[in-house]
Amino acid sequence: MNIRQGYVFSFEDAINLQPRSRLEIVLATLDFDDVITVLDKENKQHRGPTGYPFESKLNALIAMRVYNMATFTELVERLTHDPVLRYNCGFDVFGKVPSIATFSRFYERLTQSEVLRELFKKQVTTAESMGLIDTSSIAIDASKVDANEKSVPRKNIKDDGQSANWGSKLDTNGNQITWFGYKLHIATDVKSELPVALSITPASTNDGIMAESILEECSNNLNSKPQYYLMDAGYDQKSIYELIRKDYKAQAIIPLNHRGAKEPPEGLDWDATPICSAGYRMAYWGGSNGVNKFRCPHVMGKCDCPFGSSWCSDSNYGMVVKTRARQDSRLFIVPHRGTSNWKLLYNKRTSVERCFGRLKEHLGLETGLNVRGIKKVKTHAYLSVITMIASVIAINKDKSSTDIAA
């Protein structure tokens, strides 16, 4: 007769002896209490159809993003065959796991409640309080998100602001790309390259139109106020410059989009540098408080004017021209467009592109998009960005703990 030997350790003891997985580290930084409270208020019955706690199902959805799973089917299969994952998510190690339909219904509930938006804001606040986010400069851009549904001819598109449609834009290499689906608008901190605000729109929505709502969300999510907002030429609209200067007391750093103009504005070069009466570009001499100063290029040694400096001014200092943002907030910005300081700031805008790359490659922003409808796509985006921020917070908390122990 064979006698089965008893276990020295319980399953929980065995798990605790193992190094913590990435999922455990990420989940340890997330507090779902507020989310669960809202879901409880919306439905007095706080358990799903098969009796699974909200927190466990939330953990499982985060696990989908951590492990870059594409579908609920893949998630259920992984939970079924991986007792460690079931344990980490909070499900019974030796019991059943939620069905695909259960996860689908729970996802719908999350979408309708919009509780993930507040969880995202809470993560941004935590990252800022830890010093992970330097809000002095914020980069804003949009990226394509392909729809998980059959494309529709342009003539049959529902232009209701909710349905997927056709979008077109230039990629980083200047190639024109077209897609059917949505557009993800994001604002990121240029230091940590973490998202601080986001929105989802149909693919055809103009980037500039969404600038106002993204700026407002940045202001609501951040405690400190950015000095600069960095955007590409697609956002080159005077209303955006005015909004940022007057309402947010900041400066927009955006290249000029000449929109096919054949001549620069009268008295200015293409980058809004004043032209002297002899036809030379004037020399930039610094700026502050919305005012840029330019001096005679002959006096500054930038050109050899046949008329000399006396052509424009009797002073040995040479002629001085000042441009002010209140005259034209689009043309006259500080630092002056094209200067080394302006270029240094604008080059940081690529941080938002790297953020998009990580969301798509590592957190399933596109490959894991197995839902339909703009609201569910937004829920999917929130799960991706929440997981990204939680990962960075977790890593830095571990570093702090190690430093203290050392």
Short mmCIF file of all heavy atoms in Angstrom, two decimals, residues 347-393:
data_model
loop_
_atom_site.label_atom_id
_atom_site.label_comp_id
_atom_site.label_asym_id
_atom_site.label_seq_id
_atom_site.Cartn_x
_atom_site.Cartn_y
_atom_site.Cartn_z
N ASN A 347 13.49 69.08 -28.89
CA ASN A 347 14.02 67.73 -29.05
C ASN A 347 13.52 66.76 -27.98
O ASN A 347 13.52 65.55 -28.18
CB ASN A 347 15.55 67.76 -29.05
CG ASN A 347 16.13 68.34 -30.32
OD1 ASN A 347 15.45 68.42 -31.34
ND2 ASN A 347 17.38 68.78 -30.27
N LYS A 348 13.07 67.31 -26.85
CA LYS A 348 12.53 66.46 -25.79
C LYS A 348 11.15 65.91 -26.14
O LYS A 348 10.65 65.02 -25.46
CB LYS A 348 12.46 67.25 -24.48
CG LYS A 348 13.81 67.68 -23.92
CD LYS A 348 13.64 68.47 -22.64
CE LYS A 348 14.99 68.91 -22.07
NZ LYS A 348 14.82 69.71 -20.83
N ARG A 349 10.56 66.46 -27.20
CA ARG A 349 9.22 66.01 -27.60
C ARG A 349 9.20 64.54 -27.98
O ARG A 349 8.15 63.88 -27.90
CB ARG A 349 8.73 66.87 -28.78
CG ARG A 349 7.24 66.72 -29.09
CD ARG A 349 6.93 67.22 -30.49
NE ARG A 349 7.59 66.43 -31.50
CZ ARG A 349 7.13 65.27 -31.97
NH1 ARG A 349 6.00 64.77 -31.50
NH2 ARG A 349 7.80 64.61 -32.89
N THR A 350 10.34 63.99 -28.39
CA THR A 350 10.39 62.58 -28.79
C THR A 350 10.07 61.64 -27.64
O THR A 350 9.84 60.45 -27.87
CB THR A 350 11.78 62.23 -29.36
OG1 THR A 350 12.79 62.56 -28.40
CG2 THR A 350 12.05 63.01 -30.64
N SER A 351 10.04 62.16 -26.41
CA SER A 351 9.69 61.31 -25.26
C SER A 351 8.29 60.72 -25.43
O SER A 351 8.05 59.57 -25.03
CB SER A 351 9.77 62.11 -23.96
OG SER A 351 8.85 63.20 -23.99
N VAL A 352 7.37 61.47 -26.02
CA VAL A 352 6.01 60.97 -26.18
C VAL A 352 5.99 59.84 -27.21
O VAL A 352 5.19 58.89 -27.09
CB VAL A 352 5.05 62.12 -26.58
CG1 VAL A 352 5.31 62.61 -27.99
CG2 VAL A 352 3.60 61.68 -26.44
N GLU A 353 6.86 59.89 -28.21
CA GLU A 353 6.92 58.81 -29.20
C GLU A 353 7.46 57.53 -28.57
O GLU A 353 7.00 56.42 -28.89
CB GLU A 353 7.79 59.24 -30.38
CG GLU A 353 7.20 60.43 -31.15
CD GLU A 353 8.12 60.93 -32.25
OE1 GLU A 353 9.22 60.36 -32.40
OE2 GLU A 353 7.74 61.88 -32.96
N ARG A 354 8.43 57.66 -27.68
CA ARG A 354 8.95 56.47 -26.98
C ARG A 354 7.90 55.89 -26.05
O ARG A 354 7.82 54.67 -25.87
CB ARG A 354 10.23 56.83 -26.22
CG ARG A 354 11.42 57.08 -27.13
CD ARG A 354 12.71 57.21 -26.34
NE ARG A 354 12.76 58.48 -25.62
CZ ARG A 354 13.21 59.61 -26.13
NH1 ARG A 354 13.61 59.65 -27.40
NH2 ARG A 354 13.26 60.71 -25.41
N CYS A 355 7.08 56.76 -25.46
CA CYS A 355 5.98 56.28 -24.61
C CYS A 355 5.00 55.45 -25.44
O CYS A 355 4.59 54.36 -25.02
CB CYS A 355 5.28 57.47 -23.96
SG CYS A 355 3.88 57.02 -22.90
N PHE A 356 4.63 55.95 -26.61
CA PHE A 356 3.75 55.19 -27.49
C PHE A 356 4.37 53.84 -27.84
O PHE A 356 3.69 52.81 -27.86
CB PHE A 356 3.48 55.97 -28.78
CG PHE A 356 2.46 57.06 -28.65
CD1 PHE A 356 2.74 58.35 -29.08
CD2 PHE A 356 1.22 56.80 -28.10
CE1 PHE A 356 1.80 59.36 -28.97
CE2 PHE A 356 0.27 57.81 -27.98
CZ PHE A 356 0.56 59.09 -28.42
N GLY A 357 5.68 53.84 -28.14
CA GLY A 357 6.36 52.61 -28.51
C GLY A 357 6.29 51.56 -27.41
O GLY A 357 6.04 50.38 -27.68
N ARG A 358 6.49 51.97 -26.17
CA ARG A 358 6.45 51.02 -25.04
C ARG A 358 5.03 50.51 -24.82
O ARG A 358 4.84 49.32 -24.53
CB ARG A 358 6.97 51.70 -23.77
CG ARG A 358 8.45 52.06 -23.86
CD ARG A 358 8.95 52.63 -22.54
NE ARG A 358 10.33 53.08 -22.69
CZ ARG A 358 10.71 54.34 -22.72
NH1 ARG A 358 9.80 55.29 -22.60
NH2 ARG A 358 11.98 54.67 -22.86
N LEU A 359 4.06 51.40 -24.94
CA LEU A 359 2.66 50.97 -24.75
C LEU A 359 2.26 49.94 -25.80
O LEU A 359 1.55 48.98 -25.50
CB LEU A 359 1.73 52.18 -24.83
CG LEU A 359 1.76 53.14 -23.63
CD1 LEU A 359 0.95 54.40 -23.94
CD2 LEU A 359 1.21 52.47 -22.39
N LYS A 360 2.72 50.11 -27.02
CA LYS A 360 2.34 49.20 -28.10
C LYS A 360 3.14 47.90 -28.07
O LYS A 360 2.60 46.82 -28.30
CB LYS A 360 2.51 49.90 -29.45
CG LYS A 360 1.52 51.04 -29.66
CD LYS A 360 1.69 51.69 -31.03
CE LYS A 360 0.66 52.80 -31.24
NZ LYS A 360 0.76 53.42 -32.58
N GLU A 361 4.43 48.02 -27.79
CA GLU A 361 5.30 46.84 -27.87
C GLU A 361 5.22 45.96 -26.63
O GLU A 361 5.22 44.73 -26.73
CB GLU A 361 6.74 47.27 -28.10
CG GLU A 361 7.71 46.10 -28.29
CD GLU A 361 9.11 46.56 -28.63
OE1 GLU A 361 9.31 47.77 -28.84
OE2 GLU A 361 10.00 45.69 -28.67
N HIS A 362 5.15 46.59 -25.45
CA HIS A 362 5.25 45.81 -24.21
C HIS A 362 3.95 45.69 -23.43
O HIS A 362 3.84 44.81 -22.58
CB HIS A 362 6.31 46.45 -23.30
CG HIS A 362 7.67 46.56 -23.92
ND1 HIS A 362 8.42 45.44 -24.27
CD2 HIS A 362 8.42 47.64 -24.26
CE1 HIS A 362 9.57 45.84 -24.79
NE2 HIS A 362 9.59 47.16 -24.81
N LEU A 363 2.98 46.56 -23.68
CA LEU A 363 1.77 46.56 -22.87
C LEU A 363 0.51 46.34 -23.71
O LEU A 363 -0.60 46.58 -23.24
CB LEU A 363 1.66 47.88 -22.09
CG LEU A 363 2.77 48.08 -21.05
CD1 LEU A 363 2.76 49.50 -20.53
CD2 LEU A 363 2.59 47.10 -19.89
N GLY A 364 0.70 45.87 -24.94
CA GLY A 364 -0.42 45.42 -25.76
C GLY A 364 -1.43 46.49 -26.14
O GLY A 364 -2.61 46.19 -26.31
N LEU A 365 -0.99 47.73 -26.31
CA LEU A 365 -1.93 48.79 -26.68
C LEU A 365 -2.65 48.47 -27.98
O LEU A 365 -3.84 48.74 -28.12
CB LEU A 365 -1.20 50.13 -26.81
CG LEU A 365 -2.09 51.33 -27.20
CD1 LEU A 365 -3.13 51.59 -26.12
CD2 LEU A 365 -1.25 52.56 -27.45
N GLU A 366 -1.94 47.85 -28.93
CA GLU A 366 -2.58 47.47 -30.20
C GLU A 366 -2.77 45.96 -30.31
O GLU A 366 -3.85 45.48 -30.63
CB GLU A 366 -1.73 47.97 -31.38
CG GLU A 366 -1.95 49.44 -31.68
CD GLU A 366 -1.36 49.85 -33.02
OE1 GLU A 366 -0.29 49.35 -33.39
OE2 GLU A 366 -1.98 50.67 -33.71
N THR A 367 -1.72 45.18 -30.01
CA THR A 367 -1.82 43.73 -30.18
C THR A 367 -2.81 43.10 -29.22
O THR A 367 -3.39 42.06 -29.49
CB THR A 367 -0.44 43.07 -29.99
OG1 THR A 367 0.06 43.41 -28.69
CG2 THR A 367 0.54 43.54 -31.04
N GLY A 368 -3.02 43.74 -28.06
CA GLY A 368 -3.95 43.19 -27.08
C GLY A 368 -5.32 43.82 -27.13
O GLY A 368 -6.12 43.66 -26.21
N LEU A 369 -5.61 44.54 -28.20
CA LEU A 369 -6.89 45.23 -28.31
C LEU A 369 -7.94 44.29 -28.88
O LEU A 369 -8.11 44.19 -30.09
CB LEU A 369 -6.73 46.48 -29.19
CG LEU A 369 -7.95 47.41 -29.27
CD1 LEU A 369 -8.27 47.98 -27.90
CD2 LEU A 369 -7.68 48.54 -30.26
N ASN A 370 -8.65 43.58 -28.01
CA ASN A 370 -9.65 42.63 -28.47
C ASN A 370 -11.06 43.09 -28.12
O ASN A 370 -11.97 42.30 -27.97
CB ASN A 370 -9.40 41.24 -27.87
CG ASN A 370 -9.58 41.24 -26.35
OD1 ASN A 370 -9.31 42.24 -25.69
ND2 ASN A 370 -10.03 40.13 -25.81
N VAL A 371 -11.23 44.41 -27.98
CA VAL A 371 -12.54 44.97 -27.64
C VAL A 371 -12.98 45.93 -28.74
O VAL A 371 -12.17 46.40 -29.54
CB VAL A 371 -12.49 45.72 -26.29
CG1 VAL A 371 -12.25 44.74 -25.16
CG2 VAL A 371 -11.42 46.79 -26.29
N ARG A 372 -14.27 46.23 -28.75
CA ARG A 372 -14.82 47.11 -29.77
C ARG A 372 -15.55 48.28 -29.11
O ARG A 372 -16.10 48.16 -28.03
CB ARG A 372 -15.80 46.34 -30.66
CG ARG A 372 -15.15 45.22 -31.45
CD ARG A 372 -16.14 44.57 -32.39
NE ARG A 372 -15.52 43.51 -33.17
CZ ARG A 372 -16.13 42.85 -34.14
NH1 ARG A 372 -17.39 43.15 -34.46
NH2 ARG A 372 -15.52 41.89 -34.81
N GLY A 373 -15.56 49.40 -29.81
CA GLY A 373 -16.23 50.59 -29.30
C GLY A 373 -15.25 51.52 -28.61
O GLY A 373 -14.33 51.07 -27.93
N ILE A 374 -15.46 52.81 -28.79
CA ILE A 374 -14.50 53.79 -28.31
C ILE A 374 -14.35 53.78 -26.79
O ILE A 374 -13.26 53.98 -26.25
CB ILE A 374 -14.88 55.20 -28.81
CG1 ILE A 374 -13.72 56.18 -28.62
CG2 ILE A 374 -16.14 55.71 -28.12
CD1 ILE A 374 -13.91 57.49 -29.36
N LYS A 375 -15.43 53.51 -26.06
CA LYS A 375 -15.36 53.50 -24.59
C LYS A 375 -14.52 52.33 -24.09
O LYS A 375 -13.73 52.46 -23.16
CB LYS A 375 -16.76 53.46 -24.00
CG LYS A 375 -17.55 54.74 -24.17
CD LYS A 375 -18.89 54.68 -23.45
CE LYS A 375 -19.65 56.00 -23.56
NZ LYS A 375 -20.95 55.95 -22.85
N LYS A 376 -14.69 51.16 -24.72
CA LYS A 376 -13.89 50.00 -24.31
C LYS A 376 -12.43 50.16 -24.72
O LYS A 376 -11.53 49.69 -24.01
CB LYS A 376 -14.49 48.73 -24.91
CG LYS A 376 -15.81 48.30 -24.28
CD LYS A 376 -16.27 46.96 -24.80
CE LYS A 376 -17.56 46.53 -24.11
NZ LYS A 376 -18.04 45.21 -24.59
N VAL A 377 -12.20 50.81 -25.85
CA VAL A 377 -10.83 51.07 -26.27
C VAL A 377 -10.16 52.00 -25.27
O VAL A 377 -8.98 51.83 -24.93
CB VAL A 377 -10.81 51.70 -27.69
CG1 VAL A 377 -9.40 52.15 -28.05
CG2 VAL A 377 -11.31 50.68 -28.71
N LYS A 378 -10.91 52.96 -24.74
CA LYS A 378 -10.35 53.86 -23.73
C LYS A 378 -10.04 53.11 -22.45
O LYS A 378 -9.02 53.35 -21.79
CB LYS A 378 -11.35 55.00 -23.46
CG LYS A 378 -10.75 56.13 -22.63
CD LYS A 378 -11.69 57.34 -22.58
CE LYS A 378 -11.02 58.51 -21.89
NZ LYS A 378 -11.90 59.72 -21.88
N THR A 379 -10.90 52.18 -22.06
CA THR A 379 -10.64 51.34 -20.89
C THR A 379 -9.36 50.55 -21.09
O THR A 379 -8.52 50.44 -20.18
CB THR A 379 -11.81 50.38 -20.64
OG1 THR A 379 -12.99 51.14 -20.34
CG2 THR A 379 -11.52 49.43 -19.49
N HIS A 380 -9.18 50.02 -22.28
CA HIS A 380 -7.98 49.27 -22.62
C HIS A 380 -6.74 50.16 -22.50
O HIS A 380 -5.71 49.75 -21.95
CB HIS A 380 -8.09 48.71 -24.03
CG HIS A 380 -6.89 47.97 -24.51
ND1 HIS A 380 -6.59 46.70 -24.12
CD2 HIS A 380 -5.89 48.35 -25.36
CE1 HIS A 380 -5.47 46.31 -24.69
NE2 HIS A 380 -5.02 47.29 -25.45
N ALA A 381 -6.84 51.40 -22.99
CA ALA A 381 -5.71 52.33 -22.90
C ALA A 381 -5.39 52.67 -21.46
O ALA A 381 -4.22 52.74 -21.08
CB ALA A 381 -6.04 53.60 -23.69
N TYR A 382 -6.42 52.87 -20.64
CA TYR A 382 -6.18 53.17 -19.22
C TYR A 382 -5.49 52.01 -18.52
O TYR A 382 -4.58 52.22 -17.70
CB TYR A 382 -7.50 53.49 -18.52
CG TYR A 382 -7.90 54.94 -18.58
CD1 TYR A 382 -9.16 55.34 -19.01
CD2 TYR A 382 -7.00 55.94 -18.19
CE1 TYR A 382 -9.52 56.67 -19.07
CE2 TYR A 382 -7.36 57.28 -18.24
CZ TYR A 382 -8.61 57.64 -18.68
OH TYR A 382 -8.96 58.97 -18.73
N LEU A 383 -5.89 50.78 -18.82
CA LEU A 383 -5.22 49.62 -18.22
C LEU A 383 -3.74 49.58 -18.60
O LEU A 383 -2.88 49.24 -17.77
CB LEU A 383 -5.92 48.33 -18.65
CG LEU A 383 -7.29 48.05 -18.02
CD1 LEU A 383 -7.98 46.89 -18.72
CD2 LEU A 383 -7.15 47.75 -16.52
N SER A 384 -3.44 49.94 -19.84
CA SER A 384 -2.05 49.94 -20.30
C SER A 384 -1.22 51.00 -19.59
O SER A 384 -0.12 50.73 -19.11
CB SER A 384 -2.00 50.16 -21.82
OG SER A 384 -2.60 49.08 -22.52
N VAL A 385 -1.74 52.23 -19.50
CA VAL A 385 -0.96 53.30 -18.89
C VAL A 385 -0.87 53.14 -17.38
O VAL A 385 0.15 53.48 -16.77
CB VAL A 385 -1.53 54.70 -19.25
CG1 VAL A 385 -1.44 54.93 -20.75
CG2 VAL A 385 -2.95 54.87 -18.77
N ILE A 386 -1.92 52.61 -16.75
CA ILE A 386 -1.87 52.35 -15.30
C ILE A 386 -0.80 51.32 -14.99
O ILE A 386 -0.03 51.47 -14.03
CB ILE A 386 -3.26 51.88 -14.80
CG1 ILE A 386 -4.24 53.05 -14.78
CG2 ILE A 386 -3.14 51.24 -13.41
CD1 ILE A 386 -5.68 52.64 -14.55
N THR A 387 -0.72 50.29 -15.82
CA THR A 387 0.31 49.26 -15.62
C THR A 387 1.70 49.84 -15.82
O THR A 387 2.64 49.53 -15.08
CB THR A 387 0.08 48.09 -16.60
OG1 THR A 387 -1.23 47.56 -16.42
CG2 THR A 387 1.10 46.98 -16.37
N MET A 388 1.86 50.73 -16.82
CA MET A 388 3.16 51.35 -17.06
C MET A 388 3.61 52.17 -15.86
O MET A 388 4.75 52.03 -15.38
CB MET A 388 3.09 52.23 -18.31
CG MET A 388 4.35 53.06 -18.53
SD MET A 388 4.22 54.20 -19.94
CE MET A 388 4.56 53.07 -21.29
N ILE A 389 2.74 53.04 -15.35
CA ILE A 389 3.11 53.89 -14.23
C ILE A 389 3.35 53.05 -12.97
O ILE A 389 4.31 53.30 -12.22
CB ILE A 389 2.02 54.95 -13.98
CG1 ILE A 389 1.84 55.84 -15.20
CG2 ILE A 389 2.38 55.81 -12.77
CD1 ILE A 389 0.72 56.84 -15.07
N ALA A 390 2.50 52.06 -12.74
CA ALA A 390 2.66 51.20 -11.57
C ALA A 390 4.00 50.47 -11.61
O ALA A 390 4.65 50.28 -10.57
CB ALA A 390 1.51 50.20 -11.48
N SER A 391 4.43 50.06 -12.80
CA SER A 391 5.72 49.37 -12.93
C SER A 391 6.87 50.29 -12.53
O SER A 391 7.79 49.88 -11.80
CB SER A 391 5.92 48.90 -14.38
OG SER A 391 4.91 47.99 -14.77
N VAL A 392 6.83 51.53 -12.98
CA VAL A 392 7.90 52.49 -12.65
C VAL A 392 7.88 52.82 -11.17
O VAL A 392 8.94 52.89 -10.52
CB VAL A 392 7.74 53.77 -13.50
CG1 VAL A 392 8.76 54.82 -13.08
CG2 VAL A 392 7.90 53.45 -14.97
N ILE A 393 6.69 53.00 -10.60
CA ILE A 393 6.59 53.27 -9.16
C ILE A 393 7.15 52.10 -8.36
O ILE A 393 7.90 52.28 -7.40
CB ILE A 393 5.12 53.53 -8.77
CG1 ILE A 393 4.65 54.86 -9.37
CG2 ILE A 393 4.95 53.54 -7.26
CD1 ILE A 393 3.17 55.14 -9.16
#
